[in-house]
């Protein structure tokens, strides 16, 4: 009887793991980046590294803008001319 139950269980359709949509994954990644940057800014402030804290804050703002769609994913990046 146990063997029959195991066969029935094995025959059942198992739930499929699915990858999040690219936009959802991007949003989650940017949210994580922003969270880490917030912690780094606190650390830089605690060590009295004003310029570093400022630059981290700018990265934090940039990550937030990118998450809201206010910045394209390759903002300001130009392809290098490799023909020379």
């Amino acid at each position: 009887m146990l063997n029959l139950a195991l066969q029935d269980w094995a025959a059942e359709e198992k739930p499929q793991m699915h990858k999040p949509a690219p936009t959802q994954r991007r949003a989650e990644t940017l949210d994580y980046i922003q969270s880490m940057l917030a912690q780094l800014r606190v650390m830089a402030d605690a060590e009295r590294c004003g310029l570093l804290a400022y630059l981290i804050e700018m990265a934090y703002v940039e990550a937030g803008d990118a998450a809201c769609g206010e910045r394209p994913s390759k903002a300001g990046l130009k392809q290098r001319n490799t023909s020379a």
Side-chain angles (χ1 to χ4, degrees):
M1 180 142 175
L2 180 60
N3 195 17
L4 182 59
L6 288 175
Q7 287 175 352
D8 289 343
W9 175 79
E12 288 179 18
E13 197 169 314
K14 295 178 182 156
Q16 297 292 321
M17 297 295 290
H18 67 281
K19 293 182 179 178
T23 54
Q24 180 184 356
R25 187 182 74 230
R26 183 171 192 264
E28 290 171 355
T29 300
L30 289 169
D31 184 52
Y32 177 76
I33 290 170
Q34 224 179 359
S35 177
M36 294 294 103
L37 288 167
Q39 292 179 29
L40 289 171
R41 186 182 186 286
V42 169
M43 292 169 65
D45 272 341
E47 295 301 322
R48 296 185 182 133
C49 297
L51 180 58
L52 182 58
Y54 170 78
L55 292 172
I56 293 170
E57 185 174 352
M58 291 300 99
Y60 176 90
V61 170
E62 183 66 25
D65 288 351
C68 293
E70 295 180 17
R71 299 258 191 249
S73 60
K74 293 185 178 183
L77 297 179
K78 295 180 182 177
Q79 293 231 333
R80 184 175 169 201
N81 185 354
T82 58
S83 64

